[in-house]
Amino acid sequence: MNKLVARQRLVMTFTFFSMFFGAGNLIFPPFVGAQAGSATIPAAIGFIVSAVGLPILGVLAVTFAGGFDKLASRVSPKFALFLGVAIMLTIGPCFAIPRTATTSFEMMVAPFVPSSYGWLAQLIYSLVFFTLAFLFAQHPEKLSKVLGRFMGPLLLVLIAVLFIACLIHGIGTPANPMGDYSTNQIARGFLDGYQTMDLLAALYFGIVISANIRAQQVDDESQVQKETAYAGLGTGVLLIVIYGALSYVGVVSGAIATIDPTKDTGATVLTNLTSSLFGPFGTAFLGIVFVIACLNVCTGLIGTCATYFHTRFRTVAGRTLSYRTWQVIFTVFSFIVSNAGLSAIIKVSVPVLSALYPIAIVLVLLTLTHKSLGARFPRVYFWTVLLVGIASFATCISSLVAVFGGSIGWLDAALAMLPLQQYQLGWVVPAILGVAIGIADAPRREFFPGCAGVWRSVGDGGCRSIPPIKRHTEFLYAAGLRPSAIVILASSTTAITA
């Protein structure tokens, strides 16, 4: 089979869609709408670019590269391991797994518990939640088979009901932009799209899409890439509609009840809306749906992270760690983190994601332009990631210190010198500089179009390909070449003609 038929493309589209659509992500667009108010359209555009566009490009990138390890190894194998661990910790026990418990708590329990007992209720709830998640993680396929069949459609129906109810209710007078959305709504929406963490997930799991396409007997690589693009386009349309609808829901909720951006979250925005439109029973139903959906996601993430670390780190400090041990570690750690509360988790995750996302973005863009840029100038990967990493991690440190009420004067002053830093995009110029340095650091070779794409040595009258040799080889007298054509070859970056 050379290409997929319409029905198969639809199946691939919904497979693609299911990778990025989950209950946890549903709290962010309403929060954008509630804060942006009358400026929701530009804010939603920025959010959609990073929450929809970047993950789809990420899947295409790993498809073109042949997987995450091959993509990240273009920088270096050690970097591939570092980034893989960082992604797993971020979408696992540090942020995403604890967030499943806190989100469902905020939706299901918090509206019905007095604030004075909130910490105790959260402690008890998270203990029960993670106990069930750990038990279900022992046989995740059973839970996924049951919940996977109806949770996606149920969440879509829920969004449709909320959106229609908001259309009937009407906005009235939209609230004025507040908090981080008082100015520069597009840039702020773009940064808040990081909270979905879908680009990070796309880099590591995106190869699943192309693998599913190949399983349908599509063996031509160019066709696999086309089918992946078709599925990505369909997924993009679905997510844009959903995130647009949820942003509108947030605007209506914000007009009904004002929120405090420093304390409230998207869960607060949704519960305010359901309490007003549907009463306590509507809020309880919404909470139940979120609990079930978040429990399903949590179970899958515990198993995924445990598998990753068990595969790569079977022994730690001389001790052998089993798959079950890794599950226990991640479950207990996530339980502890979750009791910090949803608002605190989101506040801390923002600086961390501001460090990882720029690196992921430049990797995706370099991969998508690999034939015209990276293949000719392989050092652009190293230099671009290095400079972007320095800028983004410096921003991360500065932001983390600010979250805890401190500041580093000299670091803040240095970062302020970066163009676009006021929009948290100070990594853009270092990225451009990294590309320029990578090109300048490329092998000094001459390319002769008449030689059918073959590099030849200076001073040679004909077209001769120069065979690659291993690093540390110093001089090669190629057969038939004059001494003036001595070539210094290094497999990493250097092929210099003398």
Side-chain angles (χ1 to χ4, degrees), residues 116-471:
S116 57
Y117 293 99
W119 68 271
L120 180 60
Q122 185 167 25
L123 180 65
I124 296 173
Y125 175 84
S126 58
L127 179 61
V128 174
F129 182 90
F130 282 110
T131 299
L132 292 175
F134 176 78
L135 294 175
F136 287 138
Q138 308 313 305
H139 303 284
E141 69 284 350
K142 295 182 179 180
L143 184 68
S144 297
K145 284 182 180 179
V146 177
L147 296 183
R149 294 177 181 176
F150 70 86
M151 279 315 305
L154 181 59
L155 288 174
L156 289 174
V157 170
L158 182 64
I159 294 170
V161 170
L162 290 175
F163 180 65
I164 293 172
C166 288
L167 286 177
I168 295 173
H169 181 276
I171 297 178
T173 303
N176 293 323
M178 66 176 74
D180 292 333
Y181 284 86
S182 298
T183 58
N184 304 320
Q185 289 85 12
I186 291 181
R188 189 67 243 177
F190 181 84
L191 294 174
D192 279 351
Y194 293 2
Q195 287 290 332
T196 65
M197 304 185 196
D198 283 341
L199 175 58
L200 303 182
L203 284 180
Y204 203 83
F205 300 109
I207 197 66
V208 171
I209 300 299
S210 58
N212 285 341
I213 293 173
R214 292 187 183 94
Q216 302 297 322
Q217 283 74 53
V218 179
D219 48 14
D220 181 68
E221 194 59 33
S222 62
Q223 189 61 36
V224 169
Q225 295 174 0
K226 288 181 181 179
E227 298 294 350
T228 303
Y230 292 148
L233 179 62
T235 297
V237 171
L238 288 173
L239 288 174
I240 288 171
V241 171
I242 290 171
Y243 287 157
L246 287 171
S247 297
Y248 177 78
V249 167
V251 176
V252 175
S253 178
I256 293 174
T258 303
I259 63 169
D260 181 355
T262 62
K263 296 180 180 179
D264 294 328
T265 64
T268 310
V269 174
L270 290 176
T271 53
N272 287 345
L273 179 72
T274 54
S275 297
S276 176
L277 299 183
F278 305 108
F281 291 104
T283 302
F285 174 74
L286 181 68
I288 291 172
V289 172
F290 265 74
V291 169
I292 297 173
C294 287
L295 188 62
N296 186 34
V297 172
C298 181
T299 299
L301 288 177
I302 289 174
T304 299
C305 292
T307 299
Y308 176 87
F309 278 86
H310 176 61
T311 301
R312 286 164 176 77
F313 305 101
R314 293 184 179 273
T315 59
V316 177
R319 287 176 167 268
T320 301
L321 298 182
S322 65
Y323 170 76
R324 182 70 57 83
T325 302
W326 281 113
Q327 282 186 316
V328 171
I329 291 173
F330 292 140
T331 303
V332 172
F333 185 83
S334 299
F335 163 73
I336 296 171
V337 173
S338 69
N339 280 275
L342 181 59
S343 180
I345 291 174
I346 291 175
K347 286 181 180 178
V348 174
S349 68
V350 169
V352 176
L353 292 173
S354 70
L356 293 177
Y357 251 73
I359 294 174
I361 291 171
V362 296
L363 273 178
V364 168
L365 295 180
L366 288 175
T367 301
L368 295 177
T369 58
H370 180 73
K371 289 185 178 179
S372 59
L373 188 61
R376 297 177 60 191
F377 310 103
R379 295 287 285 175
V380 298
Y381 283 94
F382 171 80
W383 284 109
T384 306
V385 169
L386 175 64
L387 296 186
V388 168
I390 292 173
S392 59
F393 273 92
T395 301
C396 172
I397 293 171
S398 174
S399 300
L400 276 176
V401 172
V403 166
F404 293 101
S407 65
I408 304 176
W410 66 268
L411 181 59
D412 294 340
L415 289 171
M417 297 174 64
L418 291 173
L420 304 177
Q421 181 63 22
Q422 67 269 31
Y423 307 116
Q424 297 293 303
L425 298 174
W427 55 270
V428 173
V429 171
I432 296 172
L433 182 61
V435 171
I437 295 175
I439 292 174
D441 192 27
R444 291 186 290 137
R445 301 175 295 180
E446 293 187 16
F447 184 75
F448 291 78
C451 294
V454 176
W455 293 98
R456 82 175 190 182
S457 62
V458 178
D460 181 24
C463 297
R464 302 191 186 197
S465 62
I466 302 177
I469 58 177
K470 294 183 179 181
R471 188 188 297 265

Side-chain angles (χ1 to χ4, degrees), residues 68 72-73 75-84 359 363 385:
F68 170 80
S73 291
V75 180
S76 77
K78 290 183 179 180
F79 170 79
L81 178 62
F82 164 79
L83 186 60
I359 294 174
L363 273 178
V385 169

